[in-house]
Amino acid sequence: MLSRAARPALRAGSVATFRPATAAVPAFQNANYATLREIEGRLKSIKNIQKITKTMKIVASTKLSKAQRAMTESRSYGKTSNAVFDEAETKPVESENKKVLLVICSSDKGLCGGVHSGLSRAARRMMNEEPADYDVVVIGDKSKAQISRSNPKDIVLSFNSIGKDVPSFADAQAIADQISLLPGDYAQTKIMYNQFDNAQSYHPVTLEAYDEESITQSPNFTAFEIDDEVLANMREYSLANSLYWALAEGHAVEISARRNAMDNATKNAGEMIDKFTILYNRTRQAVITGELVEIITGATASEDM
Amino acid sequence: MAFAWKAAGLTYNRYLAVSARVVRRSLKEDKRVQAERRGEMELRFARWENGKQGEQKSLETANQKAMSEGAGQSQ
């Protein structure tokens, strides 16, 4: 639909760009100079773009090591925090009428490949394949825009201005607080984020956080001797821990994806620059040859006279 | 209630954040500047109702407000 609509416009556009050249046929030399100038302009703009992508790549590379360090730290932190639930074999309580809270950890900034859209797609797929009453909390503007197009009714909260720097635990705590202030009673809280496999690949995964009922009903819960009073604290704290883990890992994935995307962009720009330089030189040579031919013809013609 | 901060309407996370801030502020000058950067939080958030985004507000002030309201209820 879009391509069909775009095509006439494109054709009109290409006609419009060709028109000056065809109109300038009488002044043949001028037309050649114009295309030469056009190629030069394009070459220049591509070079500028390459400079920008190169700089962004360097920035992302320097940020990457910091982000990865934060990620490994937060991962061990989150795993330790969730070890309690693993040992207690906590499972979400099965009930029909309770809601599921889905927290999507993306960020505000783009230009990093398919990080955000992959996350949104995974969220949508989950909502389709495991139908339940979902409420969605979106962290980051990019996924917010995408989810608000497909499931605007499900969104209850959105956070932004994240992803400027490595996420701090204070961020995670504040988000966890705001989430725990939500009026709904959620049987399950699923935190969705991009897991870091290696520098090249990542995939969206979910992390579970539990409500108090699920924790108390887990099989090995008594082994830990947790008082009822501190149970709510533990739940809030573990939610913040999990969120911190998800945010830090998602951030590392984003930075590494941005590095890769900018690396590719720089390479592509380099290819285009090569192509255009050859074209530019050829055209320039053609113009010079043409001029020479004209001069020589003129000279020989006047000699004969 | 066993916890004074709970009676004051704070959540555990808030309580932790406040105590962490106190510790950071009591550090020596050079270390303090470094540490306080870890406690910064500039998030903004918005509530959504029926597919419409509400007003964007600072999360810090909203949390503080919510906590103080919670304090009013528990007393």
Short mmCIF file of all heavy atoms in Angstrom, two decimals, chain A residues 116-169:
data_model
loop_
_atom_site.label_atom_id
_atom_site.label_comp_id
_atom_site.label_asym_id
_atom_site.label_seq_id
_atom_site.Cartn_x
_atom_site.Cartn_y
_atom_site.Cartn_z
N HIS A 116 14.95 -2.08 20.02
CA HIS A 116 13.65 -1.73 20.60
C HIS A 116 12.50 -2.44 19.91
O HIS A 116 11.58 -2.93 20.57
CB HIS A 116 13.44 -0.23 20.52
CG HIS A 116 14.53 0.55 21.16
ND1 HIS A 116 14.93 0.29 22.45
CD2 HIS A 116 15.33 1.53 20.71
CE1 HIS A 116 15.92 1.10 22.75
NE2 HIS A 116 16.18 1.86 21.71
N SER A 117 12.58 -2.52 18.56
CA SER A 117 11.46 -3.16 17.87
C SER A 117 11.43 -4.66 18.16
O SER A 117 10.35 -5.25 18.24
CB SER A 117 11.54 -2.89 16.37
OG SER A 117 12.82 -3.15 15.90
N GLY A 118 12.61 -5.26 18.36
CA GLY A 118 12.63 -6.67 18.73
C GLY A 118 11.95 -6.90 20.06
O GLY A 118 11.18 -7.86 20.23
N LEU A 119 12.18 -6.00 20.98
CA LEU A 119 11.57 -6.10 22.30
C LEU A 119 10.05 -5.93 22.21
O LEU A 119 9.29 -6.70 22.79
CB LEU A 119 12.17 -5.02 23.19
CG LEU A 119 12.24 -5.27 24.68
CD1 LEU A 119 13.00 -6.54 24.96
CD2 LEU A 119 12.94 -4.10 25.35
N SER A 120 9.62 -4.92 21.45
CA SER A 120 8.18 -4.68 21.32
C SER A 120 7.51 -5.86 20.64
O SER A 120 6.40 -6.26 21.02
CB SER A 120 7.92 -3.43 20.49
OG SER A 120 8.67 -2.37 20.98
N ARG A 121 8.20 -6.41 19.63
CA ARG A 121 7.61 -7.54 18.92
C ARG A 121 7.47 -8.72 19.86
O ARG A 121 6.45 -9.41 19.85
CB ARG A 121 8.48 -7.90 17.72
CG ARG A 121 7.67 -8.48 16.58
CD ARG A 121 8.53 -8.73 15.36
NE ARG A 121 9.28 -7.56 14.96
CZ ARG A 121 10.58 -7.57 14.65
NH1 ARG A 121 11.27 -8.69 14.75
NH2 ARG A 121 11.19 -6.48 14.26
N ALA A 122 8.50 -8.98 20.66
CA ALA A 122 8.43 -10.09 21.60
C ALA A 122 7.29 -9.89 22.59
O ALA A 122 6.58 -10.84 22.94
CB ALA A 122 9.76 -10.22 22.33
N ALA A 123 7.11 -8.64 23.03
CA ALA A 123 6.02 -8.34 23.98
C ALA A 123 4.68 -8.61 23.33
O ALA A 123 3.79 -9.23 23.93
CB ALA A 123 6.11 -6.89 24.42
N ARG A 124 4.52 -8.17 22.08
CA ARG A 124 3.26 -8.40 21.38
C ARG A 124 3.00 -9.87 21.19
O ARG A 124 1.89 -10.34 21.36
CB ARG A 124 3.32 -7.72 20.01
CG ARG A 124 2.81 -6.31 20.06
CD ARG A 124 2.84 -5.70 18.69
NE ARG A 124 3.29 -4.32 18.80
CZ ARG A 124 4.09 -3.73 17.94
NH1 ARG A 124 4.55 -4.39 16.90
NH2 ARG A 124 4.43 -2.48 18.10
N ARG A 125 4.07 -10.60 20.83
CA ARG A 125 3.90 -12.04 20.61
C ARG A 125 3.46 -12.70 21.90
O ARG A 125 2.57 -13.55 21.92
CB ARG A 125 5.22 -12.64 20.13
CG ARG A 125 5.01 -14.01 19.49
CD ARG A 125 6.31 -14.67 19.09
NE ARG A 125 7.30 -13.73 18.60
CZ ARG A 125 8.56 -13.71 19.02
NH1 ARG A 125 8.95 -14.53 19.96
NH2 ARG A 125 9.41 -12.86 18.53
N MET A 126 4.08 -12.28 23.02
CA MET A 126 3.71 -12.89 24.28
C MET A 126 2.25 -12.61 24.61
O MET A 126 1.53 -13.49 25.07
CB MET A 126 4.60 -12.35 25.38
CG MET A 126 4.60 -13.21 26.61
SD MET A 126 5.86 -12.69 27.73
CE MET A 126 4.93 -11.59 28.73
N MET A 127 1.81 -11.40 24.33
CA MET A 127 0.43 -11.06 24.64
C MET A 127 -0.53 -11.83 23.76
O MET A 127 -1.65 -12.12 24.17
CB MET A 127 0.22 -9.55 24.46
CG MET A 127 0.81 -8.75 25.60
SD MET A 127 0.30 -7.05 25.55
CE MET A 127 1.76 -6.27 24.99
N ASN A 128 -0.09 -12.19 22.54
CA ASN A 128 -0.97 -12.96 21.67
C ASN A 128 -0.97 -14.43 22.03
O ASN A 128 -2.01 -15.08 22.02
CB ASN A 128 -0.52 -12.81 20.20
CG ASN A 128 -0.92 -11.47 19.64
OD1 ASN A 128 -1.87 -10.87 20.12
ND2 ASN A 128 -0.19 -11.01 18.64
N GLU A 129 0.22 -14.96 22.34
CA GLU A 129 0.32 -16.40 22.53
C GLU A 129 -0.14 -16.85 23.91
O GLU A 129 -0.64 -17.95 24.06
CB GLU A 129 1.77 -16.86 22.29
CG GLU A 129 2.10 -16.95 20.81
CD GLU A 129 3.57 -17.23 20.57
OE1 GLU A 129 4.30 -17.49 21.55
OE2 GLU A 129 3.98 -17.15 19.40
N GLU A 130 0.09 -16.02 24.90
CA GLU A 130 -0.37 -16.38 26.24
C GLU A 130 -1.40 -15.37 26.69
O GLU A 130 -1.09 -14.43 27.40
CB GLU A 130 0.81 -16.38 27.23
CG GLU A 130 1.92 -17.30 26.83
CD GLU A 130 3.21 -16.96 27.56
OE1 GLU A 130 3.15 -16.61 28.75
OE2 GLU A 130 4.27 -17.03 26.92
N PRO A 131 -2.61 -15.55 26.21
CA PRO A 131 -3.62 -14.53 26.52
C PRO A 131 -3.89 -14.45 28.01
O PRO A 131 -4.13 -15.47 28.66
CB PRO A 131 -4.86 -14.99 25.75
CG PRO A 131 -4.49 -16.21 25.02
CD PRO A 131 -3.17 -16.69 25.49
N ALA A 132 -3.82 -13.28 28.53
CA ALA A 132 -4.15 -13.02 29.92
C ALA A 132 -4.51 -11.55 29.99
O ALA A 132 -4.44 -10.85 28.98
CB ALA A 132 -2.98 -13.34 30.83
N ASP A 133 -4.88 -11.11 31.16
CA ASP A 133 -5.19 -9.69 31.31
C ASP A 133 -3.90 -8.94 31.58
O ASP A 133 -3.41 -8.90 32.70
CB ASP A 133 -6.19 -9.52 32.45
CG ASP A 133 -6.88 -8.18 32.35
OD1 ASP A 133 -6.52 -7.42 31.43
OD2 ASP A 133 -7.76 -7.92 33.17
N TYR A 134 -3.33 -8.40 30.54
CA TYR A 134 -2.03 -7.75 30.69
C TYR A 134 -2.16 -6.26 31.01
O TYR A 134 -3.01 -5.59 30.45
CB TYR A 134 -1.22 -7.89 29.41
CG TYR A 134 -0.59 -9.24 29.22
CD1 TYR A 134 -1.16 -10.17 28.37
CD2 TYR A 134 0.58 -9.57 29.88
CE1 TYR A 134 -0.58 -11.42 28.20
CE2 TYR A 134 1.16 -10.81 29.72
CZ TYR A 134 0.58 -11.73 28.87
OH TYR A 134 1.16 -12.95 28.71
N ASP A 135 -1.31 -5.82 31.88
CA ASP A 135 -1.09 -4.38 32.04
C ASP A 135 0.38 -4.15 31.73
O ASP A 135 1.23 -4.92 32.14
CB ASP A 135 -1.39 -3.94 33.48
CG ASP A 135 -2.86 -3.55 33.62
OD1 ASP A 135 -3.57 -3.62 32.61
OD2 ASP A 135 -3.26 -3.19 34.73
N VAL A 136 0.64 -3.09 30.99
CA VAL A 136 1.99 -2.90 30.50
C VAL A 136 2.61 -1.64 31.10
O VAL A 136 1.97 -0.59 31.15
CB VAL A 136 2.00 -2.82 28.96
CG1 VAL A 136 3.42 -2.65 28.46
CG2 VAL A 136 1.38 -4.05 28.35
N VAL A 137 3.81 -1.78 31.58
CA VAL A 137 4.61 -0.64 32.01
C VAL A 137 5.77 -0.53 31.03
O VAL A 137 6.50 -1.50 30.83
CB VAL A 137 5.15 -0.83 33.43
CG1 VAL A 137 6.10 0.29 33.79
CG2 VAL A 137 4.02 -0.90 34.43
N VAL A 138 5.89 0.62 30.38
CA VAL A 138 6.95 0.76 29.39
C VAL A 138 8.02 1.71 29.92
O VAL A 138 7.71 2.81 30.36
CB VAL A 138 6.42 1.32 28.06
CG1 VAL A 138 7.40 1.00 26.96
CG2 VAL A 138 5.08 0.74 27.73
N ILE A 139 9.25 1.26 29.88
CA ILE A 139 10.37 2.12 30.26
C ILE A 139 11.11 2.49 28.98
O ILE A 139 11.63 1.62 28.29
CB ILE A 139 11.30 1.39 31.24
CG1 ILE A 139 10.50 0.90 32.45
CG2 ILE A 139 12.41 2.32 31.70
CD1 ILE A 139 11.27 -0.01 33.35
N GLY A 140 11.13 3.76 28.66
CA GLY A 140 11.81 4.20 27.44
C GLY A 140 10.83 4.62 26.36
O GLY A 140 9.80 3.99 26.15
N ASP A 141 11.18 5.69 25.66
CA ASP A 141 10.26 6.27 24.68
C ASP A 141 10.08 5.42 23.43
O ASP A 141 9.03 5.44 22.81
CB ASP A 141 10.77 7.65 24.25
CG ASP A 141 10.29 8.72 25.19
OD1 ASP A 141 9.33 8.45 25.93
OD2 ASP A 141 10.87 9.81 25.19
N LYS A 142 11.14 4.70 23.04
CA LYS A 142 11.09 3.99 21.77
C LYS A 142 10.03 2.90 21.79
O LYS A 142 9.19 2.83 20.90
CB LYS A 142 12.45 3.38 21.46
CG LYS A 142 13.47 4.40 21.02
CD LYS A 142 13.19 4.85 19.61
CE LYS A 142 13.94 6.13 19.35
NZ LYS A 142 13.65 6.71 18.07
N SER A 143 10.07 2.06 22.81
CA SER A 143 9.08 1.01 22.89
C SER A 143 7.71 1.58 23.21
O SER A 143 6.70 1.02 22.81
CB SER A 143 9.46 -0.03 23.94
OG SER A 143 10.30 -0.99 23.36
N LYS A 144 7.70 2.69 23.92
CA LYS A 144 6.42 3.32 24.24
C LYS A 144 5.68 3.67 22.95
O LYS A 144 4.49 3.39 22.81
CB LYS A 144 6.64 4.59 25.07
CG LYS A 144 5.35 5.22 25.53
CD LYS A 144 5.61 6.55 26.20
CE LYS A 144 5.66 7.64 25.17
NZ LYS A 144 5.96 8.95 25.72
N ALA A 145 6.41 4.27 22.00
CA ALA A 145 5.78 4.64 20.74
C ALA A 145 5.25 3.42 20.01
O ALA A 145 4.16 3.45 19.44
CB ALA A 145 6.78 5.38 19.87
N GLN A 146 6.04 2.33 20.07
CA GLN A 146 5.61 1.14 19.34
C GLN A 146 4.44 0.44 20.00
O GLN A 146 3.48 0.04 19.34
CB GLN A 146 6.80 0.17 19.21
CG GLN A 146 7.81 0.65 18.18
CD GLN A 146 9.17 0.05 18.39
OE1 GLN A 146 9.42 -0.64 19.38
NE2 GLN A 146 10.07 0.32 17.47
N ILE A 147 4.51 0.30 21.32
CA ILE A 147 3.43 -0.40 22.02
C ILE A 147 2.16 0.46 22.00
O ILE A 147 1.05 -0.07 21.89
CB ILE A 147 3.85 -0.72 23.47
CG1 ILE A 147 5.02 -1.70 23.49
CG2 ILE A 147 2.70 -1.29 24.26
CD1 ILE A 147 4.71 -3.11 23.05
N SER A 148 2.32 1.77 22.09
CA SER A 148 1.13 2.62 22.13
C SER A 148 0.39 2.58 20.80
O SER A 148 -0.78 2.97 20.73
CB SER A 148 1.51 4.06 22.48
OG SER A 148 2.19 4.65 21.41
N ARG A 149 1.04 2.14 19.73
CA ARG A 149 0.34 1.98 18.46
C ARG A 149 -0.49 0.70 18.45
O ARG A 149 -1.57 0.67 17.88
CB ARG A 149 1.35 1.99 17.31
CG ARG A 149 1.10 3.14 16.36
CD ARG A 149 2.17 3.21 15.30
NE ARG A 149 3.40 3.78 15.81
CZ ARG A 149 4.60 3.27 15.56
NH1 ARG A 149 4.74 2.19 14.82
NH2 ARG A 149 5.68 3.85 16.04
N SER A 150 0.07 -0.37 19.06
CA SER A 150 -0.64 -1.65 18.96
C SER A 150 -1.55 -1.91 20.17
O SER A 150 -2.65 -2.40 20.02
CB SER A 150 0.37 -2.79 18.81
OG SER A 150 1.20 -2.85 19.93
N ASN A 151 -1.08 -1.62 21.37
CA ASN A 151 -1.87 -1.91 22.56
C ASN A 151 -1.98 -0.71 23.49
O ASN A 151 -1.53 -0.78 24.63
CB ASN A 151 -1.23 -3.07 23.35
CG ASN A 151 -0.93 -4.26 22.50
OD1 ASN A 151 -0.13 -4.19 21.58
ND2 ASN A 151 -1.57 -5.35 22.80
N PRO A 152 -2.55 0.40 23.01
CA PRO A 152 -2.57 1.59 23.88
C PRO A 152 -3.40 1.40 25.15
O PRO A 152 -3.10 1.99 26.18
CB PRO A 152 -3.16 2.67 22.98
CG PRO A 152 -3.92 1.94 21.95
CD PRO A 152 -3.23 0.63 21.74
N LYS A 153 -4.41 0.52 25.08
CA LYS A 153 -5.30 0.36 26.24
C LYS A 153 -4.62 -0.36 27.40
O LYS A 153 -5.05 -0.25 28.53
CB LYS A 153 -6.54 -0.45 25.82
CG LYS A 153 -7.39 0.25 24.79
CD LYS A 153 -8.65 0.78 25.40
CE LYS A 153 -9.09 2.05 24.74
NZ LYS A 153 -10.26 2.04 23.98
N ASP A 154 -3.59 -1.14 27.08
CA ASP A 154 -2.97 -1.95 28.13
C ASP A 154 -1.93 -1.18 28.93
O ASP A 154 -1.55 -1.61 30.01
CB ASP A 154 -2.30 -3.17 27.50
CG ASP A 154 -3.31 -4.10 26.85
OD1 ASP A 154 -4.47 -4.05 27.28
OD2 ASP A 154 -2.95 -4.84 25.93
N ILE A 155 -1.47 -0.06 28.39
CA ILE A 155 -0.39 0.65 29.08
C ILE A 155 -0.93 1.33 30.33
O ILE A 155 -1.98 1.98 30.28
CB ILE A 155 0.24 1.69 28.15
CG1 ILE A 155 0.79 1.00 26.90
CG2 ILE A 155 1.37 2.43 28.85
CD1 ILE A 155 1.42 1.94 25.92
N VAL A 156 -0.26 1.14 31.44
CA VAL A 156 -0.66 1.83 32.66
C VAL A 156 0.36 2.89 33.07
O VAL A 156 0.00 3.90 33.66
CB VAL A 156 -0.92 0.86 33.82
CG1 VAL A 156 -2.20 0.10 33.60
CG2 VAL A 156 0.23 -0.10 34.01
N LEU A 157 1.61 2.64 32.77
CA LEU A 157 2.64 3.59 33.16
C LEU A 157 3.71 3.65 32.06
O LEU A 157 3.96 2.65 31.39
CB LEU A 157 3.34 3.13 34.44
CG LEU A 157 2.76 3.48 35.80
CD1 LEU A 157 3.62 2.85 36.86
CD2 LEU A 157 2.68 4.96 36.01
N SER A 158 4.30 4.81 31.91
CA SER A 158 5.46 4.86 31.03
C SER A 158 6.52 5.74 31.68
O SER A 158 6.20 6.73 32.33
CB SER A 158 5.07 5.41 29.66
OG SER A 158 4.78 6.78 29.75
N PHE A 159 7.76 5.33 31.51
CA PHE A 159 8.87 6.09 32.07
C PHE A 159 9.75 6.55 30.92
O PHE A 159 9.88 5.84 29.93
CB PHE A 159 9.71 5.22 33.00
CG PHE A 159 8.95 4.75 34.21
CD1 PHE A 159 8.23 3.58 34.16
CD2 PHE A 159 8.96 5.49 35.37
CE1 PHE A 159 7.52 3.14 35.26
CE2 PHE A 159 8.27 5.06 36.48
CZ PHE A 159 7.54 3.88 36.42
N ASN A 160 10.35 7.71 31.05
CA ASN A 160 11.34 8.08 30.04
C ASN A 160 12.52 8.85 30.65
O ASN A 160 12.67 8.89 31.86
CB ASN A 160 10.71 8.85 28.89
CG ASN A 160 10.15 10.17 29.31
OD1 ASN A 160 10.20 10.52 30.49
ND2 ASN A 160 9.64 10.90 28.37
N SER A 161 13.31 9.42 29.75
CA SER A 161 14.63 9.99 30.05
C SER A 161 15.52 8.98 30.77
O SER A 161 16.24 9.31 31.69
CB SER A 161 14.53 11.32 30.82
OG SER A 161 13.94 11.16 32.07
N ILE A 162 15.45 7.75 30.26
CA ILE A 162 16.38 6.72 30.73
C ILE A 162 17.38 6.46 29.62
O ILE A 162 17.13 6.79 28.48
CB ILE A 162 15.62 5.43 31.11
CG1 ILE A 162 16.55 4.45 31.81
CG2 ILE A 162 15.07 4.75 29.87
CD1 ILE A 162 15.94 3.78 32.95
N GLY A 163 18.51 5.89 29.94
CA GLY A 163 19.45 5.47 28.92
C GLY A 163 20.47 6.52 28.55
O GLY A 163 21.22 6.35 27.63
N LYS A 164 20.50 7.64 29.29
CA LYS A 164 21.55 8.62 29.03
C LYS A 164 22.89 8.08 29.50
O LYS A 164 23.91 8.30 28.91
CB LYS A 164 21.24 9.92 29.78
CG LYS A 164 20.19 10.75 29.08
CD LYS A 164 19.87 11.98 29.91
CE LYS A 164 18.62 12.65 29.39
NZ LYS A 164 17.91 13.37 30.43
N ASP A 165 22.82 7.39 30.62
CA ASP A 165 24.03 6.83 31.20
C ASP A 165 23.69 5.42 31.68
O ASP A 165 22.56 4.97 31.53
CB ASP A 165 24.49 7.73 32.36
CG ASP A 165 25.99 7.59 32.57
OD1 ASP A 165 26.58 6.72 31.91
OD2 ASP A 165 26.54 8.33 33.39
N VAL A 166 24.67 4.76 32.27
CA VAL A 166 24.39 3.46 32.84
C VAL A 166 23.30 3.62 33.91
O VAL A 166 23.41 4.51 34.75
CB VAL A 166 25.66 2.87 33.47
CG1 VAL A 166 25.36 1.56 34.15
CG2 VAL A 166 26.72 2.67 32.41
N PRO A 167 22.25 2.81 33.85
CA PRO A 167 21.18 2.99 34.83
C PRO A 167 21.67 2.76 36.25
O PRO A 167 22.45 1.85 36.50
CB PRO A 167 20.15 1.93 34.43
CG PRO A 167 20.76 1.09 33.40
CD PRO A 167 21.95 1.78 32.87
N SER A 168 21.23 3.61 37.16
CA SER A 168 21.66 3.47 38.54
C SER A 168 20.62 2.69 39.33
O SER A 168 19.49 2.53 38.87
CB SER A 168 21.87 4.84 39.17
OG SER A 168 20.63 5.49 39.29
N PHE A 169 21.03 2.23 40.48
CA PHE A 169 20.08 1.49 41.31
C PHE A 169 18.96 2.40 41.78
O PHE A 169 17.83 1.96 41.98
CB PHE A 169 20.80 0.85 42.50
CG PHE A 169 19.98 -0.16 43.22
CD1 PHE A 169 19.59 -1.33 42.60
CD2 PHE A 169 19.56 0.08 44.51
CE1 PHE A 169 18.82 -2.27 43.25
CE2 PHE A 169 18.78 -0.86 45.18
CZ PHE A 169 18.41 -2.03 44.54
#
